[in-house]
Amino acid sequence: MRTTVRDTPGSLAALCTVLARHGVDILTLQTHPLAEGGTVDEFLLRAPAGLQPGVLTGEIAAAGGTDTWTERADAHDLVDTPTRVLGLATRTALDAAELPLALRQLLGRCTIRSVPPVSLSGRPTGDQAPVEGVLEETAMRLRDPNGGTLVIERPYLPFTPTEFARARALVELDARLGPRLPRGRDVLTLPEGNDIAVRRADQRDLPAARAMHDRCSERTLALRYHGPVGDADRYLDHLLSPRFGRTLAVQTASGRFVALGHLLWDGDETEVALMVEDDWQRRGIGSELLGRLVAMAEEAGCDSVYAVTQSSNTGMVAAMRALNLPLDYQIEEGTLVITARLTPRPAGATATEADAGRDADAATPVRPLPGGRPPRGRR
């Protein structure tokens, strides 16, 4: 529960009296001073099951609280604030792509947009926040270390100066550390005996990604980007940016990229996208990437992921079905949007060999990766 009170002696005591009268236990309390002299008191409460939020809100208003907001908490809210913030800072320090997620966990339910300094056509957007950032009630604008502006919006609840300072500190940490990715990579053996490596990629891998584009057919590029094939290269810098999500690359022993998979933050939603070079399709690479991307989405706390493709791309449809997750389909003018709800898989359930062996860019089933195992990273 959050409520705003006057910063006067006895204001907090009046609230505590109301809570005690209704049998409500205070587990944690944070105070957020406001510039105009008031205070936002943020409580984590254990309330009787029969106590209606509307009744509590009315009682708090009678005791002097205004702009009261309540929401059901979960176990993660029991972690004390310094511990939680240090944990978010650690995640951000290890991986630049964690910053948007860390900000969302720090600030609660909010929408984060990254506005680049130039558009895809190369024109300046004119959107550049000042170095100190801007706080405007339910929105804050922070200067993105990669250029442009991070816009964070929470329409249902104004941000406090304390939250603004915490968010700005996380962004400043990201700026000081510079580009960084987890260094791990997994080596997989394809059915024909070739070894490939799967690793994270970012904008430093732009030349390798463009070279892969040059080797792909127009059909493969059109299935991926749903627009003029000549524009495909313009999207890569955006797609590889950690501000917009995470990218997995499949690499040969010689270091050449043969596939890319993207997990893209789209406001409150999450998109998955895949592209496999023509000569490497129908080998299980697309399904391997898709399984790993979905596992990343689960770890990030996403409720669902969606893929945008063409209704004729039966391979992508098969790959999404192979996830063994509840799917929703929407189709309009040949464009198909498949949404997978990330519900936990029943204990002991595994993907079949047929599931694991379909390539996301191919329309026919192929041999599975060794052992018929489900995609790595599945929780």
Short mmCIF file of all heavy atoms in Angstrom, two decimals, residues 113-129 141-151 203 237-238 241 243-244:
data_model
loop_
_atom_site.label_atom_id
_atom_site.label_comp_id
_atom_site.label_asym_id
_atom_site.label_seq_id
_atom_site.Cartn_x
_atom_site.Cartn_y
_atom_site.Cartn_z
N ARG A 113 10.69 2.44 -22.57
CA ARG A 113 10.98 2.58 -23.99
C ARG A 113 12.35 3.20 -24.17
O ARG A 113 12.74 4.08 -23.42
CB ARG A 113 9.93 3.47 -24.68
CG ARG A 113 8.53 2.87 -24.71
CD ARG A 113 7.57 3.77 -25.47
NE ARG A 113 7.32 5.02 -24.77
CZ ARG A 113 7.72 6.22 -25.19
NH1 ARG A 113 8.41 6.32 -26.33
NH2 ARG A 113 7.43 7.31 -24.50
N SER A 114 13.09 2.71 -25.15
CA SER A 114 14.38 3.30 -25.50
C SER A 114 14.21 4.04 -26.81
O SER A 114 13.91 3.45 -27.84
CB SER A 114 15.44 2.20 -25.64
OG SER A 114 16.71 2.78 -25.89
N VAL A 115 14.37 5.36 -26.77
CA VAL A 115 14.22 6.20 -27.96
C VAL A 115 15.61 6.52 -28.48
O VAL A 115 16.37 7.23 -27.83
CB VAL A 115 13.45 7.50 -27.63
CG1 VAL A 115 13.26 8.33 -28.88
CG2 VAL A 115 12.11 7.18 -26.98
N PRO A 116 15.99 5.98 -29.64
CA PRO A 116 17.35 6.20 -30.15
C PRO A 116 17.55 7.65 -30.59
O PRO A 116 16.57 8.37 -30.87
CB PRO A 116 17.44 5.22 -31.33
CG PRO A 116 16.03 5.02 -31.77
CD PRO A 116 15.19 5.13 -30.52
N PRO A 117 18.81 8.08 -30.69
CA PRO A 117 19.06 9.47 -31.11
C PRO A 117 18.74 9.72 -32.58
O PRO A 117 18.46 10.85 -32.97
CB PRO A 117 20.56 9.66 -30.83
CG PRO A 117 21.13 8.28 -30.87
CD PRO A 117 20.05 7.38 -30.35
N VAL A 118 18.77 8.66 -33.40
CA VAL A 118 18.42 8.80 -34.82
C VAL A 118 17.44 7.69 -35.19
O VAL A 118 17.43 6.62 -34.59
CB VAL A 118 19.67 8.72 -35.73
CG1 VAL A 118 20.60 9.89 -35.46
CG2 VAL A 118 20.40 7.40 -35.53
N SER A 119 16.60 7.95 -36.17
CA SER A 119 15.63 6.97 -36.64
C SER A 119 16.31 5.95 -37.53
O SER A 119 17.50 6.08 -37.87
CB SER A 119 14.51 7.67 -37.41
OG SER A 119 15.03 8.23 -38.60
N LEU A 120 15.57 4.92 -37.94
CA LEU A 120 16.14 3.91 -38.83
C LEU A 120 16.56 4.50 -40.17
O LEU A 120 17.45 3.97 -40.84
CB LEU A 120 15.11 2.78 -39.06
CG LEU A 120 14.87 1.85 -37.86
CD1 LEU A 120 13.74 0.87 -38.19
CD2 LEU A 120 16.13 1.10 -37.47
N SER A 121 15.93 5.60 -40.55
CA SER A 121 16.31 6.26 -41.80
C SER A 121 17.50 7.19 -41.64
O SER A 121 17.95 7.79 -42.62
CB SER A 121 15.12 7.05 -42.35
OG SER A 121 14.72 8.06 -41.44
N GLY A 122 18.03 7.31 -40.41
CA GLY A 122 19.21 8.13 -40.18
C GLY A 122 18.92 9.56 -39.77
O GLY A 122 19.85 10.35 -39.59
N ARG A 123 17.66 9.91 -39.59
CA ARG A 123 17.32 11.27 -39.20
C ARG A 123 17.34 11.42 -37.69
O ARG A 123 16.86 10.55 -36.97
CB ARG A 123 15.93 11.64 -39.72
CG ARG A 123 15.82 11.66 -41.23
CD ARG A 123 14.42 12.04 -41.66
NE ARG A 123 14.30 12.10 -43.11
CZ ARG A 123 13.16 12.40 -43.75
NH1 ARG A 123 12.06 12.63 -43.04
NH2 ARG A 123 13.15 12.44 -45.07
N PRO A 124 17.87 12.55 -37.16
CA PRO A 124 17.86 12.78 -35.71
C PRO A 124 16.43 12.83 -35.18
O PRO A 124 15.55 13.44 -35.78
CB PRO A 124 18.57 14.13 -35.56
CG PRO A 124 19.36 14.30 -36.81
CD PRO A 124 18.57 13.62 -37.90
N THR A 125 16.20 12.18 -34.06
CA THR A 125 14.87 12.19 -33.45
C THR A 125 14.65 13.41 -32.58
O THR A 125 13.52 13.73 -32.23
CB THR A 125 14.65 10.92 -32.61
OG1 THR A 125 15.63 10.89 -31.55
CG2 THR A 125 14.78 9.67 -33.46
N GLY A 126 15.74 14.07 -32.18
CA GLY A 126 15.62 15.23 -31.31
C GLY A 126 15.23 14.88 -29.89
O GLY A 126 14.84 15.75 -29.12
N ASP A 127 15.35 13.60 -29.55
CA ASP A 127 14.95 13.15 -28.22
C ASP A 127 16.21 12.83 -27.42
O ASP A 127 16.79 11.77 -27.56
CB ASP A 127 14.06 11.91 -28.33
CG ASP A 127 13.23 11.69 -27.08
OD1 ASP A 127 13.78 11.88 -25.98
OD2 ASP A 127 12.06 11.33 -27.20
N GLN A 128 16.65 13.77 -26.60
CA GLN A 128 17.84 13.58 -25.79
C GLN A 128 17.58 14.19 -24.42
O GLN A 128 17.41 15.40 -24.28
CB GLN A 128 19.05 14.25 -26.43
CG GLN A 128 20.35 14.08 -25.65
CD GLN A 128 20.93 12.68 -25.77
OE1 GLN A 128 20.70 11.99 -26.74
NE2 GLN A 128 21.66 12.25 -24.77
N ALA A 129 17.51 13.36 -23.40
CA ALA A 129 17.27 13.86 -22.04
C ALA A 129 18.52 14.56 -21.52
O ALA A 129 19.65 14.23 -21.91
CB ALA A 129 16.92 12.70 -21.12
N ARG A 141 12.56 10.53 -17.62
CA ARG A 141 13.39 10.44 -18.82
C ARG A 141 14.84 10.50 -18.37
O ARG A 141 15.25 11.45 -17.70
CB ARG A 141 13.06 11.58 -19.78
CG ARG A 141 11.66 11.51 -20.36
CD ARG A 141 11.18 12.86 -20.87
NE ARG A 141 12.16 13.51 -21.72
CZ ARG A 141 12.29 13.27 -23.02
NH1 ARG A 141 11.49 12.37 -23.60
NH2 ARG A 141 13.18 13.90 -23.74
N LEU A 142 15.61 9.48 -18.76
CA LEU A 142 17.01 9.39 -18.38
C LEU A 142 17.86 9.26 -19.64
O LEU A 142 17.45 8.61 -20.61
CB LEU A 142 17.24 8.17 -17.47
CG LEU A 142 16.45 8.17 -16.16
CD1 LEU A 142 16.54 6.80 -15.50
CD2 LEU A 142 16.97 9.26 -15.23
N ARG A 143 19.03 9.84 -19.61
CA ARG A 143 19.92 9.77 -20.77
C ARG A 143 20.48 8.35 -20.90
O ARG A 143 21.07 7.81 -19.96
CB ARG A 143 21.06 10.78 -20.66
CG ARG A 143 22.03 10.71 -21.82
CD ARG A 143 22.99 11.87 -21.85
NE ARG A 143 22.32 13.12 -22.16
CZ ARG A 143 22.96 14.26 -22.42
NH1 ARG A 143 24.28 14.29 -22.36
NH2 ARG A 143 22.29 15.35 -22.70
N ASP A 144 20.28 7.76 -22.06
CA ASP A 144 20.77 6.41 -22.33
C ASP A 144 22.26 6.48 -22.63
O ASP A 144 22.68 7.24 -23.51
CB ASP A 144 20.01 5.83 -23.52
CG ASP A 144 20.26 4.34 -23.71
OD1 ASP A 144 21.34 3.87 -23.33
OD2 ASP A 144 19.37 3.65 -24.23
N PRO A 145 23.09 5.69 -21.92
CA PRO A 145 24.53 5.69 -22.21
C PRO A 145 24.84 5.31 -23.65
O PRO A 145 25.89 5.69 -24.18
CB PRO A 145 25.07 4.64 -21.24
CG PRO A 145 24.08 4.59 -20.13
CD PRO A 145 22.76 4.86 -20.76
N ASN A 146 23.95 4.57 -24.32
CA ASN A 146 24.17 4.20 -25.72
C ASN A 146 23.70 5.28 -26.68
O ASN A 146 23.78 5.10 -27.90
CB ASN A 146 23.41 2.90 -26.04
CG ASN A 146 24.06 1.71 -25.38
OD1 ASN A 146 25.21 1.77 -24.95
ND2 ASN A 146 23.34 0.61 -25.29
N GLY A 147 23.22 6.39 -26.16
CA GLY A 147 22.66 7.44 -27.00
C GLY A 147 21.14 7.40 -26.94
O GLY A 147 20.53 6.35 -26.78
N GLY A 148 20.52 8.56 -27.08
CA GLY A 148 19.07 8.61 -27.00
C GLY A 148 18.58 8.73 -25.57
O GLY A 148 19.32 9.15 -24.66
N THR A 149 17.36 8.29 -25.34
CA THR A 149 16.70 8.50 -24.06
C THR A 149 15.95 7.26 -23.63
O THR A 149 15.32 6.58 -24.45
CB THR A 149 15.71 9.68 -24.17
OG1 THR A 149 16.42 10.86 -24.54
CG2 THR A 149 14.99 9.92 -22.85
N LEU A 150 16.04 6.94 -22.34
CA LEU A 150 15.20 5.91 -21.73
C LEU A 150 13.97 6.60 -21.14
O LEU A 150 14.10 7.49 -20.29
CB LEU A 150 15.96 5.17 -20.63
CG LEU A 150 17.07 4.22 -21.07
CD1 LEU A 150 17.87 3.73 -19.86
CD2 LEU A 150 16.50 3.04 -21.83
N VAL A 151 12.80 6.19 -21.60
CA VAL A 151 11.54 6.76 -21.12
C VAL A 151 10.83 5.70 -20.28
O VAL A 151 10.55 4.60 -20.76
CB VAL A 151 10.63 7.20 -22.28
CG1 VAL A 151 9.34 7.80 -21.75
CG2 VAL A 151 11.36 8.20 -23.17
N GLN A 203 26.00 -5.22 -30.42
CA GLN A 203 26.32 -4.37 -31.56
C GLN A 203 27.76 -4.51 -32.02
O GLN A 203 28.07 -4.15 -33.16
CB GLN A 203 26.00 -2.91 -31.20
CG GLN A 203 24.49 -2.65 -31.10
CD GLN A 203 24.17 -1.40 -30.32
OE1 GLN A 203 24.62 -1.23 -29.19
NE2 GLN A 203 23.36 -0.53 -30.89
N ASP A 237 21.37 -2.94 -36.24
CA ASP A 237 21.93 -2.19 -35.11
C ASP A 237 20.92 -2.10 -33.98
O ASP A 237 21.26 -2.23 -32.80
CB ASP A 237 22.34 -0.79 -35.57
CG ASP A 237 23.13 -0.05 -34.50
OD1 ASP A 237 24.23 -0.51 -34.15
OD2 ASP A 237 22.63 0.99 -34.01
N HIS A 238 19.66 -1.89 -34.32
CA HIS A 238 18.58 -1.85 -33.33
C HIS A 238 18.41 -3.21 -32.66
O HIS A 238 18.34 -3.32 -31.44
CB HIS A 238 17.28 -1.42 -34.02
CG HIS A 238 16.06 -1.53 -33.18
ND1 HIS A 238 15.51 -0.46 -32.51
CD2 HIS A 238 15.27 -2.60 -32.87
CE1 HIS A 238 14.44 -0.86 -31.83
NE2 HIS A 238 14.27 -2.15 -32.05
N SER A 241 21.10 -4.21 -30.13
CA SER A 241 21.28 -3.34 -28.96
C SER A 241 20.71 -4.01 -27.71
O SER A 241 19.57 -4.49 -27.72
CB SER A 241 20.59 -2.00 -29.18
OG SER A 241 20.55 -1.26 -27.98
N ARG A 243 19.54 -2.58 -25.27
CA ARG A 243 18.43 -1.79 -24.78
C ARG A 243 17.09 -2.38 -25.22
O ARG A 243 16.07 -2.18 -24.58
CB ARG A 243 18.52 -0.36 -25.28
CG ARG A 243 19.58 0.44 -24.61
CD ARG A 243 19.27 0.62 -23.12
NE ARG A 243 20.41 1.25 -22.48
CZ ARG A 243 21.40 0.59 -21.91
NH1 ARG A 243 21.39 -0.73 -21.89
NH2 ARG A 243 22.39 1.23 -21.33
N PHE A 244 17.10 -3.09 -26.34
CA PHE A 244 15.85 -3.58 -26.89
C PHE A 244 15.64 -5.06 -26.65
O PHE A 244 14.61 -5.61 -27.01
CB PHE A 244 15.79 -3.28 -28.40
CG PHE A 244 15.87 -1.81 -28.70
CD1 PHE A 244 17.06 -1.25 -29.15
CD2 PHE A 244 14.79 -0.98 -28.51
CE1 PHE A 244 17.15 0.11 -29.41
CE2 PHE A 244 14.87 0.37 -28.77
CZ PHE A 244 16.06 0.92 -29.22
#
